[in-house]
Amino acid sequence: MADDTLIAVKPEIAVKARINAARHAAMTQAAATDPDRFWAEEAKRIAWIKPPTRIKNTDFSGTVSIKWFEDGVLNASVSCLDRHLATRGDQVAILWEGDDPGSDLKVTYRELHERVCKLSNALRRLGVKKGDRVCIYMPMIVEAAVAMLACARVGAVHSVVFGGFSPDSLASRIQDSECIVLITADEGRRGGRKVPLKANADEALRSCPSIRHVIVARNTGTAVAMQDGRDHWWDAMTAGEPATAEPEPMGAEDPLFILYTSGSTGKPKGVLHTTGGYMVWGSFTHDNVFDYREGEIYWCTADVGWVTGHTYIVYGPLANGATTLMFEGVPSWPDNGRFWQVVAKHKVNIFYTAPTAIRALMRDGDGPVKKHDRSSLRILGSVGEPINPEAWLWYYRVVGDERCPVVDTWWQTETGGILISPLPGATAQKPGSATLPLPGVKPALVDNDGKLLDGTAEGNLVLLDSWPGQMRTVYGDHERFVQTYFSTFKGMYFTGDGARRDADGYYWITGRVDDVINVAGHRMGTAEVESALVAHASVAEAAVVGMPHDIKGQGIYAYVTLVAGVEPTEALRKELVAWVRKEIGPIASPDAIQWAPGLPKTRSGKIMRRILRKIAANETSGLGDTSTLADPAVVQELIDNRVK
Ligand code: WT7
């Protein structure tokens, strides 16, 4: 699509922006010529107990070793809390907007510090020490951020599990990192409905012997089962605790958190981020990509269960002393003007959301947007999946009244923060393009043999060198880290994405090239859905692929072979959809299930997903070479019975 639609930086924005085009060029140059010097300077943006003298020590070859600021000592919670107390103790740190439009809360930096310290003391009383893993399974309430920061304060490694995940998904994540404490709530609220978090947790904990204690925040006030000796109410735990707590001194390379993410195999990977580099990256990118200014109201609509919530609701904005808006609800409830109502109510300046939300709201027309005052908005952001130019332009024209630059930010759980994005005061935008790398980021395109492609090209997106926010390992499985990210193309980090680079050097992300699909901005491994399906007694075999979806970007299309003798019925189809929801969570619900008496396999038994993807997308004219199939006839059968 229109590579030539170029939206220049408005002079009034460039003049005030922290980074204009000249500065962008100078920073890019400086970061490339002397990374140690550049990042030593940027590291000063966070608080150190002992500032680092060794800056970059990274190696993408062999066993892969990534260290940044390695002799520095710090505590992430101090950067987010303590150091703001003198200058902005009474400023709102977290502006919470409830699911119910009548409910909100303002928590100042002083109050947040106090709440974090109290919970830190409670965690220590339960025996939590530096390096212990704590699982957080929470709704979008202030306590979720307090829990993360309290873990950081005592040196515990948090593992936040999205509140929409099932008991099974929660259990496997707790087991993998052997968490000793679980922090949850009685229930969550979303779009007028209740989510039974404590009940889910109880079910999960039947298979989690590592958990010694559960801390339960009272949210909806519903009655929940409490197990004596194991379960504790948050309020009772923290009430008598002192309002200060010593921050644990952490090495820059000590772990800050684990976040599980889907890959090409059935088992989610524990992406491990460490303290120093991650904090520098979160602060650096939040500041520069959103051109953040003192006193602004900043709103990222993500959930803290995803990396976007970690870096751009909690750590990045709080490190920068921002007011970060935390939203419990959904864009469509009580009506589809909710986002804009909240923007008007809190005079939001910077708004960061996902293409799937933009597309869903765009479908309802301009009316719900125009009903609300959006004159406070200054910057708009997009994240999570490629944004189609139509949605981009609607966002720019209707939501932003052509006043606000749109930053289409490309990154991943693994990258810790944004890597490719326009800067509002420096980069001319092209609708649908994430544009250019941030200073210090070295993307490249390679063909399938790993050959670097020059100039205008399309290929696999890799990164040639490290940046401070990069993941360090897969928790408990460094070999898998090396295998997943550094073995496809030797000496390079492989993103799993495909991309195109145009004549201006702009990157256009085309989507995943591996067996990962992106459903409404949520990453889902096809193998995970397949293993959930085959766990059902009626299913003999399953193959899952992505299919184009108007709102979600991609939907989940499952080919299912039933056990001999089982009849394919509508009731069974519904049962399988419900089964996958129960096994993984609602985000994994298949959008289409096709009964497949046979699957296209090579003679060695490998399923040819390329063909299945094409059939799901209804692109059956160019199926390519099917001669290597064991039984080419199955292809026609599948085409004839495609789910429409
Ligand atoms: C995958 C990472 C980044 C935080 C949220 C998702 C896709 C992300 C963009 C974008 C095109 C994007 C990629 C990436 N993606 N942002 N601006 N344009 N694609 O994190 O769950 O780790 O998923 O999301 O495919 O690999 P994640």
Side-chain angles (χ1 to χ4, degrees), residues 388-451:
N388 47 312
E390 297 72 22
W392 194 104
L393 285 165
W394 183 82
Y395 197 30
Y396 179 70
R397 288 181 181 143
V398 180
V399 176
D401 288 322
E402 295 188 31
R403 259 183 318 106
C404 311
V406 172
V407 289
D408 173 5
T409 63
W410 176 85
W411 59 294
Q412 314 177 292
T413 305
E414 293 89 339
T415 70
I418 298 163
L419 295 196
I420 303 181
S421 172
L423 300 181
T427 322
Q429 303 145 86
K430 296 184 188 185
S433 170
T435 76
L436 300 169
L438 298 191
V441 175
K442 292 200 188 112
L445 300 175
V446 295
D447 67 14
N448 288 340
D449 301 321
K451 193 168 91 49

Side-chain angles (χ1 to χ4, degrees), residues 478-634:
H478 192 71
E479 181 49 36
R480 189 170 175 204
F481 174 62
V482 177
Q483 194 57 36
T484 308
Y485 302 103
F486 298 92
S487 69
T488 319
F489 306 113
K490 286 271 171 281
M492 305 171 190
Y493 168 86
F494 178 40
T495 64
D497 280 332
R500 188 161 64 76
R501 190 173 47 222
D502 70 16
D504 294 324
Y506 276 35
Y507 285 88
W508 301 70
I509 312 297
T510 50
R512 302 288 308 197
V513 294
D514 53 10
D515 289 326
V516 169
I517 52 185
N518 193 323
V519 186
H522 300 317
R523 184 161 152 183
M524 189 49 55
T526 51
E528 273 172 83
V529 185
E530 287 164 4
S531 50
L533 282 166
V534 295
H536 189 281
S538 301
V539 177
E541 195 169 21
V544 169
V545 297
M547 65 169 191
H549 189 287
D550 284 349
I551 304 289
K552 298 199 264 187
Q554 281 189 301
I556 299 178
Y557 193 108
Y559 297 88
V560 170
T561 309
L562 293 172
V563 167
V566 175
E567 277 304 305
T569 62
E570 180 57 19
L572 180 57
R573 200 191 59 78
K574 288 208 175 102
E575 186 181 319
L576 291 181
V577 172
W579 172 265
V580 175
R581 284 175 76 93
K582 185 183 86 47
E583 290 279 300
I584 305 176
I587 56 170
S589 305
D591 295 278
I593 291 183
Q594 173 169 355
W595 307 119
L599 291 167
K601 291 184 185 165
T602 60
R603 284 185 197 95
S604 60
K606 196 171 178 306
I607 295 174
M608 286 184 84
R609 288 164 189 284
R610 176 177 58 81
I611 292 174
L612 295 177
R613 276 194 283 267
K614 292 234 162 168
I615 296 173
N618 200 14
E619 287 169 10
T620 47
S621 53
L623 283 183
D625 185 13
T626 55
S627 62
T628 55
L629 288 177
D631 176 13
V634 301

Side-chain angles (χ1 to χ4, degrees), residues 245-405:
E246 273 308 303
E248 191 71 30
M250 304 293 283
E253 285 301 336
D254 283 336
L256 178 61
F257 67 84
I258 300 164
L259 188 56
Y260 287 86
T261 192
S262 300
S264 301
T265 71
K267 191 172 174 262
K269 293 184 288 280
V271 169
L272 186 102
H273 282 288
T274 57
T275 309
Y278 173 81
M279 288 302 293
V280 170
W281 198 252
S283 168
F284 174 77
T285 53
H286 172 263
D287 224 9
N288 293 322
V289 173
F290 300 108
D291 190 35
Y292 171 71
R293 313 236 174 102
E294 191 74 33
E296 285 195 319
I297 310 291
Y298 160 88
W299 181 15
C300 165
T301 68
D303 190 286
V304 291
W306 311 112
V307 74
T308 312
H310 283 59
T311 310
Y312 297 111
I313 295 179
V314 179
Y315 289 109
L318 294 179
N320 292 341
T323 295
T324 180
L325 196 151
M326 192 171 175
F327 179 46
E328 189 185 23
V330 297
S332 54
W333 194 84
D335 62 49
N336 52 20
R338 186 67 196 277
F339 272 180
W340 326 119
Q341 178 254 328
V342 175
V343 165
K345 175 179 175 187
H346 295 297
K347 304 205 168 24
V348 172
N349 305 111
I350 302 167
F351 179 74
Y352 189 29
T353 196
T356 187
I358 299 168
R359 286 191 297 264
L361 295 170
M362 183 169 92
R363 196 183 46 176
D364 297 322
D366 304 359
V369 185
K370 298 225 158 121
K371 234 170 73 189
H372 301 280
D373 177 18
R374 287 154 288 107
S375 58
S376 58
L377 287 176
R378 199 170 64 75
I379 308 281
L380 299 174
S382 171
V383 62
E385 51 175 315
I387 178 164
N388 47 312
E390 297 72 22
W392 194 104
L393 285 165
W394 183 82
Y395 197 30
Y396 179 70
R397 288 181 181 143
V398 180
V399 176
D401 288 322
E402 295 188 31
R403 259 183 318 106
C404 311

Side-chain angles (χ1 to χ4, degrees), residues 71-88:
D71 64 345
V73 178
L74 76 163
N75 184 289
S77 78
V78 172
S79 280
C80 295
L81 302 167
D82 303 58
R83 66 161 170 163
H84 300 310
L85 295 181
T87 50
R88 49 172 78 89

